Amino acid sequence: EEYTDLLLKSMTTSKRANNLLVKDGKVYAAMPFGIVVINLKRKEILDTYYIGKNGAEVNVKQLAILNNRLYAISDKCLYSCDMADNLLDFSRWKSTVFTSDTLSHIVSYNGKIYLLKNHGLSVYQNDTITDLYDWNFIHLCADENHLYAMTHNYVYHMVNGQLEGLKELTDIQQVQALNGQYWMAGGGNGVERLSANGELDFFHPEGPLVNNPYRMKFEYGKLYIVPGGRWASEDLIDASFAYYKNGQWG
C-alpha cells in the first residue's frame, strides 16, 4: 500500500500526523487513529498499529524508541511494545493509564523515557514514573546527547541529570545541537542559532512569514500581506503581517 492510498482513503478520523519518528529507514507516524509505519525508500505503508483496547483507535500524540521498545502516548495513556514482538497484535501492547493527568510529549534520552505530564517534566523508568520539574513546559525534545525543555519564555537543557537555563527565548519549539551551536525552531522568528559565546542569529527564508496570504493591500509604496480566512481562528494561524518593498520582505 502506498502512502498516497492513506490520503485517498475515506475515513471519519483525521489523517493528519501528530508526530513523526524516523528509525532505520522507516517513518513511524503518530496518527489520530494509531501508528502508521512507512518505508522511506519504497514510499510504502508497511503496517498500521491499532493499539487501543480490543484494537480500538487511539489518538497517538507522540512516539519514542528506547532499547528496541516502541513507546506511544495519548492524552491519558502510555503504551509500549517490544519491537521484536508482533506490534500488530493489540494485546502485546502494555498500557499505563493516567486518569487524572494529561500527557503531551515523550522522548528517549540517556537510557530513560522522559514525559511532559500536566506540563511538568517526568521520567519513566522500570515501570515507575517520577516527577522532576513542575515548570509549565510547552515543548520537549531530545537528540543523542541532549535533552531540551521549553517554557513560554525560556529554553532549558539537561546537564548531569539537572535542568539548567540555556537562553531566555520565546516560542521555541525544537532545539538541535551541532558543532557547539544550538539551532532552534523559533516559529514566527524563523530559525535561530545560539553560539557558544551567547550570540543569537536569526535566519528567515526570502518571502512573507506565512505561505497562505488572505488579504493584500498596496500603501505608501509597500505591499502588505496578512494570513487568515473568513473566520477569526481560520487554520489556527497566529496573527501576523508582512510587507514587501524595494525587493525585500519585512
Side-chain angles (χ1 to χ4, degrees):
E1 182 182 16
E2 295 187 0
Y3 66 86
T4 52
D5 294 334
L6 175 61
L7 300 178
L8 298 174
K9 186 176 181 180
S10 178
M11 300 176 63
T12 57
T13 308
S14 171
K15 291 176 279 187
R16 180 175 181 176
N18 296 318
N19 178 241
L20 299 175
L21 176 65
V22 180
K23 178 74 171 178
D24 297 332
K26 299 176 183 176
V27 173
Y28 295 82
M31 304 296 293
F33 52 84
I35 302 169
V36 172
V37 186
I38 301 171
N39 183 297
L40 275 175
K41 186 175 182 180
R42 299 201 303 264
K43 299 180 180 179
E44 293 177 348
I45 294 178
L46 300 177
D47 290 306
T48 301
Y49 307 142
Y50 293 93
I51 62 177
K53 185 177 181 180
N54 298 322
E57 292 185 356
V58 169
N59 183 11
V60 179
K61 302 181 72 173
Q62 288 202 342
L63 302 164
I65 294 176
L66 178 64
N67 297 331
N68 204 43
R69 192 170 186 88
L70 180 60
Y71 292 82
I73 57 168
S74 65
D75 283 336
K76 298 291 184 181
C77 195
L78 169 65
Y79 301 86
S80 69
C81 187
D82 193 314
M83 297 182 71
D85 207 337
N86 181 14
L87 286 85
L88 291 168
D89 183 354
F90 62 85
S91 68
R92 308 304 298 171
W93 285 80
K94 178 182 177 181
S95 61
T96 303
V97 178
F98 297 84
T99 305
S100 59
D101 300 310
T102 299
L103 306 177
S104 61
H105 292 70
I106 182 170
V107 298
S108 62
Y109 167 71
N110 199 26
K112 300 175 184 178
I113 290 293
Y114 288 85
L115 302 156
L116 287 191
K117 179 170 66 73
N118 298 332
H119 298 290
L121 180 64
S122 303
V123 61
Y124 180 79
Q125 191 177 28
N126 299 325
D127 297 330
T128 301
I129 189 163
T130 304
D131 296 335
L132 301 178
Y133 298 91
D134 184 18
W135 291 354
N136 197 28
F137 297 108
I138 58 173
H139 292 293
L140 179 70
C141 64
D143 54 34
E144 291 183 357
N145 302 307
H146 305 84
L147 180 140
Y148 307 95
M150 289 76 86
T151 64
H152 283 284
N153 58 4
Y154 220 99
V155 179
Y156 298 86
H157 64 154
M158 186 161 284
V159 179
N160 298 323
Q162 303 292 321
L163 280 187
E164 295 184 0
L166 183 63
K167 187 71 173 179
E168 185 175 1
L169 294 169
T170 60
D171 199 26
I172 300 300
Q173 302 176 42
Q174 190 169 4
V175 183
Q176 292 284 302
L178 179 65
N179 299 329
Q181 299 176 324
Y182 298 96
W183 294 83
M184 310 180 190
N189 291 325
V191 176
E192 304 178 30
R193 182 183 63 190
L194 177 64
S195 300
N197 62 5
E199 183 178 346
L200 189 65
D201 296 302
F202 298 86
F203 300 87
H204 297 272
E206 285 297 324
L209 287 174
V210 293
N211 62 357
N212 54 350
Y214 180 64
R215 289 288 187 265
M216 299 187 299
K217 182 178 178 62
F218 279 106
E219 194 73 38
Y220 302 112
K222 295 181 181 180
L223 171 64
Y224 292 88
I225 295 178
V226 294
R230 295 184 61 187
W231 314 113
S233 59
E234 184 73 17
D235 295 329
L236 301 178
I237 300 169
D238 292 334
S240 67
F241 79 93
Y243 65 85
Y244 184 79
K245 182 179 181 180
N246 297 330
Q248 299 291 326
W249 286 97

